[in-house]
Amino acid sequence: MSRPTPALSGPAGDARAQLPEDAHAGFDRLVHAVLAAPGASRRPALGAALRSQLPGTAGVRWLHAEGLSPTSRAGDLTAAHWLSLYEAWLANQQAPRAGGRESGHGPRADSRHGHAAGAQAIPRYY
């Protein structure tokens, strides 16, 4: 049995109201993950809170595109920021993952030289 999601207020609630009904569950997951990031009671920096939601450089690129500092707080986001963040999050969720295999693991090491596929050992000159 699922629990009802508490109503969002402020800019996040305004952004949620602009989304279609079928997008509410995903948006709620994103908002909860950003607002409930470790150390949320201390109001963590947005850059740290986004790290798990937009992995790699996607979070930093989003912050830069929106003109926000990585030290900004989630409370500083406007409704437009929340909508933009949701779009970036959706794009990241639908992006193909590295490795191309469904198992979730990356390429296997090439046992001939002990490195990942495509990697080359540094030649040693004696």
Side-chain angles (χ1 to χ4, degrees):
M1 185 165 137
S2 65
R3 286 186 235 150
T5 305
L8 295 174
S9 61
D14 295 342
R16 185 181 191 269
Q18 295 178 39
L19 294 171
E21 184 72 30
D22 62 339
H24 287 183
F27 184 79
D28 292 345
R29 277 194 311 272
L30 172 65
V31 172
H32 175 72
V34 170
L35 296 178
S41 61
R42 297 184 318 266
R43 293 184 38 139
L46 194 53
L50 291 180
R51 195 169 295 128
S52 66
Q53 300 306 309
L54 297 173
T57 60
V60 174
R61 286 190 317 236
W62 179 81
L63 287 167
H64 181 72
E66 293 298 319
L68 296 168
S69 165
T71 58
S72 299
R73 308 289 181 208
D76 299 336
L77 296 178
T78 65
H81 286 137
W82 279 111
L83 290 171
S84 173
L85 177 59
Y86 180 65
E87 289 175 16
W89 181 75
L90 279 179
N92 185 54
Q93 297 299 313
Q94 297 169 356
R97 301 290 184 234
R101 293 184 7 209
E102 294 298 320
S103 66
H105 298 288
R108 296 181 58 96
D110 184 351
S111 62
R112 290 177 289 159
H113 57 73
H115 295 280
Q120 297 295 317
I122 298 171
R124 292 193 175 161
Y125 300 99
Y126 295 95

